[in-house]
Amino acid sequence: MNFISEALASSGPFSIAISLVLNILISVLGFIPSVFITAANITVFGIEKGLILSYLGEIAGAVVSFWLYRKGIQTFKPKFMRNRWVMQLQKSQGFHAFWMILMLRLLPFIPSGVINLTAALSKTGVMIFFFATSIGKLPALLVEAYSVTQVLKTSDDVRIVLVLLILVIAVIYYFKRNKKKGM
């Protein structure tokens, strides 16, 4: 995270644009948590400006991802699109799609990339996706920003312990998941 903060701080007038591009890139990749860019934004721009910048970046990233995923899926037609649940999801649109996207955004344990891909598979329009995402991202980002500010206030020792704990959990999860696949 420090290298992101340092890169933003040393970018001068381009720091806001770089932050937005990083948020969009993280969203398109779909598997990297945005918490790192949120932490960097809060560190460099302060809590209010950093939060606003992260919010705008996450919305922009979600919309760009939605559009790219939709174009890519239409081009490649992957096999998973024949799944009956995905086929049912593809039929959602309008009010139903808005609420589905909004509710998914409010659930903190569902990765944003999954929601973007899911919405791209549906028949929902970009404006419905945009509004549902704009509303749904705000509570999650507020919780993320609060968590980040609390971690940033702790000592280096506590942060190291937190990172190690997260790594241990990730390794255990990885091995348990692979063990189940091998059965």
Side-chain angles (χ1 to χ4, degrees):
M1 181 200 68
N2 285 340
F3 74 93
I4 298 173
S5 298
E6 291 169 7
L8 290 178
S10 66
S11 299
F14 300 109
S15 59
I16 291 174
I18 290 171
S19 173
L20 291 171
V21 167
L22 286 174
N23 247 317
I24 291 169
L25 186 62
I26 286 170
S27 185
V28 169
L29 292 174
F31 63 89
I32 300 171
S34 64
V35 68
F36 302 112
I37 190 71
T38 300
N41 284 340
I42 289 171
T43 301
V44 174
F45 301 106
I47 185 74
E48 293 87 13
K49 290 178 184 175
L51 184 60
I52 291 169
L53 185 57
S54 290
Y55 179 67
L56 294 174
E58 288 207 20
I59 292 170
V63 170
V64 169
S65 297
F66 173 83
W67 183 78
L68 288 174
Y69 293 171
R70 181 163 280 176
K71 294 299 177 194
I73 288 168
Q74 290 173 355
T75 302
F76 297 111
K77 305 272 188 208
K79 290 181 182 180
F80 71 85
M81 288 189 61
R82 291 189 287 255
N83 178 290
R84 70 183 180 120
W85 296 106
V86 172
M87 290 170 65
Q88 184 177 14
L89 175 62
Q90 287 177 302
K91 297 175 187 173
S92 69
Q93 57 187 350
F95 188 73
H96 177 69
F98 173 85
W99 284 108
M100 180 181 70
I101 295 164
L102 178 61
M103 296 325 257
L104 289 171
R105 290 279 182 219
L106 293 174
L107 297 172
F109 53 85
I110 299 178
S112 189
V114 171
I115 299 168
N116 297 340
L117 179 60
T118 300
L121 292 172
S122 72
K123 290 185 178 181
T124 190
V126 70
M127 291 309 291
I128 288 173
F129 177 79
F130 170 78
F131 286 119
T133 294
S134 297
I135 296 167
K137 279 252 183 213
L138 190 55
L141 190 58
L142 289 171
V143 169
E144 183 177 288
Y146 176 76
S147 301
V148 163
T149 56
Q150 294 308 307
V151 169
L152 290 174
K153 289 179 185 178
T154 64
S155 68
D156 287 341
D157 292 341
V158 172
R159 282 186 255 174
I160 290 169
V161 168
L162 286 173
V163 168
L164 290 174
L165 181 62
I166 291 168
L167 286 173
V168 167
I169 291 169
V171 168
I172 290 170
Y173 172 77
Y174 174 78
F175 284 115
K176 283 200 175 265
R177 193 181 89 194
N178 285 339
K179 186 178 178 182
K180 286 182 182 180
K181 284 182 180 180
M183 292 180 148

